[in-house]
Amino acid sequence: MKLNYKFPENFLWGAASSGPQSEGAANIDGKGESIWDYWYSTNPELFFNEVGPSDTSTFYKNYKEDIKLMKKVGLNSFRTSIQWSRLMPDKTSKVNFEAVKFYNNVIDEMLSNGILPIMNLHHFDMPMWAQKLGGWESREVVNYYVQYAKACFRLFGDRVKFWTTFNEPVVTPEMGYLGDWHYPCIVDGKRAVQVAYHEILASAIAISEYHKMDCSKDGSIGIILNLMPTYPKDYEKENVKAANIQDLFYNRAFLDPSVLGEYPQELIDLLKENGALPKYEQKDIETIKKNTVDFLGVNYYCPRRAQARTEKLDVDVFTPEIYFENYVWPMAKMNKYRGWEIYEEGVYDICDNIMKNYGNIPFFISENGMGVEGEERFINEKGQVEDLYRIDFVKDHLKSLHKGIEAGANCFGYHMWTFIDNWSWRNAYKNRYGFVSLDLKTQKRTIKKSGEWFKKVSKNNGFN
Ligand code: BG6
C-alpha cells in the first residue's frame, strides 16, 4: 500500500506504562513500600479523589488478559518498569521471589505474544527504606540501586534485550526537591542538584555493569528523558539567554552526560557561581565519560517557553528559576485538562537536535499522549470512547516525527502513553491517557477508537 507517512522497517509501535502506575497490589506478595505507598498512607487527601497507588489498573492480577489486549491494539512492543520496592522490599536487598515470579511471567507472556519487552528500572518510585537513607541525595543509595540493577539484568536479561536505567530523571529533582509536587517535597536547589547528579552517576554505573555481562551481547541499554525543546519568547538577547539556561538545567543536565559523557561547561559554571556544585568523586568523571547510553528514549508532551525574569527573584536558597521565567505563548494550543501546550513541531525539533548535537544516536519516542478528563462524555452507544481528539493528536505528532526521520533522524519507534488508562501519581485517574479505557469500579477494559486506529497504523507501518 502506498502511504503518505510510511515508517522504517521493524518500527516499534507500542505503548508505555510503569509498575507503580499499573500493577496495583501494592501491599501483597511481599512488596515493600515505595515513597508513593508511604505518602498516600500519610496524606491521601493529596491525591485526586483520594485514589492511591494500590488502586491502579490491576496489571499484577490481569497481566495475561492485558497482554492479549495489547495484541488486539496492534502493539509490537511495550515498556513498563520493575518496581524496586517489589523486587527488594528492604535494605538487605534480598530478592523477593514472588516479584521474580511476576516479572518472569510478564516477560514470558509478552514474548509468547510477539510483544517486545522494554524494561525500565526506575520510574520516580524510590523504595521507602532507601528514601530513609537519604534517597537520591545519598551516595549509599547509588550503590544500592546498582545492586538492584545488576539483579534485574541477572534475573531477566536473558529475555529482556532493551533496558533503560531511568524514566525522566529530571522529575525527581524538579518535582520533589525544587517544587513540592512529589515526595519528599523539599524546596532546595542545591539538594536538587545533588539528586540529579546521583541519578546520572547511578545510570552510568548501571550501564557499565550491564555491558560487562554476557546477556548484554545481544542487548542494549539506554535512558528515557523527557526532552522539552525550550523556545525563547522572542529573539531578544536576554530572552534567548534565559531559554538557554532553562535548557541547560532541565534538558542538557541529563542529555549531555547520558549521550556525550560530560556536563556542559556553561552549566558547571552556573552551578559554581551559585555554590551549588554537587559532591562528587574524581573517578566519577571517568565513569560518566566511559558509560554513555546505547540508545535514548524520548518522552515528549510539550515544549518549554522562557523569557528573562521580569522581576528579580528573592530566594534564600538556590533555584535555577533566578535566571528565567516561564513564558506563555498567546498562540499556544492547550490541553486544558493537563495545562500542557500541544506543539507537534517540537518532535521535529527534537529530531533535529539529536541529529546535529548528539551524534544522531538511535532513539525512540518512548512516551507521547494526551490526558483528557471526563472521557465518559465521549462514550458512544456501543460503550466505546470515541476519542477522535486523541487520534488527531497522535497523527499530528507522527507527521512531525516522519518529517524528522525523512531528514535523517535515527528513530526506531513510537510508544503511546499509555495502553490502559493508568494511575497518574497525584492526579490519580483524573486525566485518561489510554488506548483502552478502564472502568475504575468494575476494572472492565474497553478499546477506544484510538486503539482501533492504532492497530491499523501498526499493521500498515504508517498511515495516510
Ligand atoms: C510522564 C511520566 O511524564 O508523563 C508518566 O513518565 C506520567 O509517569 C505521564 O504519567 C503523564 O503525566 P501525568 O502527570 O498526567 O500522569
Side-chain angles (χ1 to χ4, degrees), residues 69 77 118 172 177 205 207 334 363 368 391 396 402 406-407 455:
L69 257 185
S77 44
I118 301 180
T172 300
Y177 290 82
I205 305 177
I207 291 171
M334 294 299 289
F363 73 96
N368 178 227
I391 299 179
D396 290 344
H402 188 263
E406 294 273 280
K455 181 176 184 150

Side-chain angles (χ1 to χ4, degrees), residues 30-225:
K31 183 181 172 302
E33 250 185 350
S34 73
I35 52 173
W36 294 96
D37 304 318
Y38 170 78
W39 202 20
Y40 179 71
S41 75
T42 58
N43 294 82
E45 74 287 354
L46 294 177
F47 295 77
F48 186 76
N49 282 346
E50 300 207 1
V51 175
S54 57
D55 297 327
T56 61
S57 319
T58 54
F59 185 67
Y60 191 79
K61 187 164 142 229
N62 291 312
Y63 70 91
K64 276 197 179 166
E65 292 73 22
D66 286 350
I67 291 170
K68 283 199 186 81
L69 257 185
M70 287 179 197
K71 237 180 139 174
K72 268 200 169 162
V73 175
L75 308 191
N76 60 20
S77 44
F78 179 65
R79 186 251 302 190
T80 186
S81 67
I82 294 170
Q83 292 198 71
W84 184 0
S85 57
R86 189 180 291 291
L87 195 74
M88 294 178 164
D90 58 43
K91 202 180 153 200
T92 61
S93 286
K94 273 203 199 114
V95 163
N96 166 16
F97 285 99
E98 288 297 327
V100 177
K101 197 163 85 188
F102 169 65
Y103 292 116
N104 269 335
N105 287 342
V106 168
I107 293 162
D108 293 345
E109 196 67 23
M110 279 200 238
L111 289 171
S112 64
N113 279 282
I115 293 168
L116 179 87
I118 301 180
M119 277 295 179
N120 176 40
L121 295 171
H122 194 76
H123 199 125
F124 319 157
D125 59 334
M126 182 64 79
M128 200 53 208
W129 61 261
Q131 189 64 39
K132 284 186 186 146
L133 297 174
W136 287 117
E137 284 185 85
S138 144
R139 184 134 185 151
E140 198 187 356
V141 169
V142 173
N143 298 334
Y144 277 114
Y145 167 86
V146 174
Q147 280 185 40
Y148 154 68
K150 278 164 71 178
C152 291
F153 304 147
R154 185 168 38 76
L155 290 162
F156 313 116
D158 56 334
R159 286 149 296 145
V160 174
K161 295 297 165 191
F162 282 85
W163 289 97
T164 55
T165 55
F166 281 83
N167 176 79
E168 302 187 352
V170 69
V171 167
T172 300
E174 190 185 358
M175 304 288 189
Y177 290 82
L178 283 174
D180 56 4
W181 187 247
H182 284 194
Y183 193 80
C185 307
I186 289 164
V187 181
D188 183 335
K190 207 166 173 253
R191 293 171 70 177
V193 169
Q194 189 68 57
V195 164
Y197 174 71
H198 276 157
E199 288 178 305
I200 284 298
L201 179 65
S203 176
I205 305 177
I207 291 171
S208 107
E209 292 297 337
Y210 181 64
H211 283 148
K212 282 184 212 155
M213 292 171 80
D214 272 356
C215 63
S216 73
K217 298 225 165 72
D218 55 350
S220 51
I221 187 159
I223 192 165
I224 293 171
L225 303 178

Side-chain angles (χ1 to χ4, degrees), residues 18 21 79 123-124 167-168 171 181-182 224 226 299 301 338 340 367 371 417 422-428 431 433:
S18 74
Q21 294 178 270
R79 186 251 302 190
H123 199 125
F124 319 157
N167 176 79
E168 302 187 352
V171 167
W181 187 247
H182 284 194
I224 293 171
N226 49 327
N299 292 353
Y301 293 89
R338 189 61 182 81
W340 283 345
E367 281 182 35
W417 186 269
N422 67 19
W423 186 74
S424 274
W425 314 109
R426 285 184 57 185
N427 275 337
N431 301 318
Y433 283 89

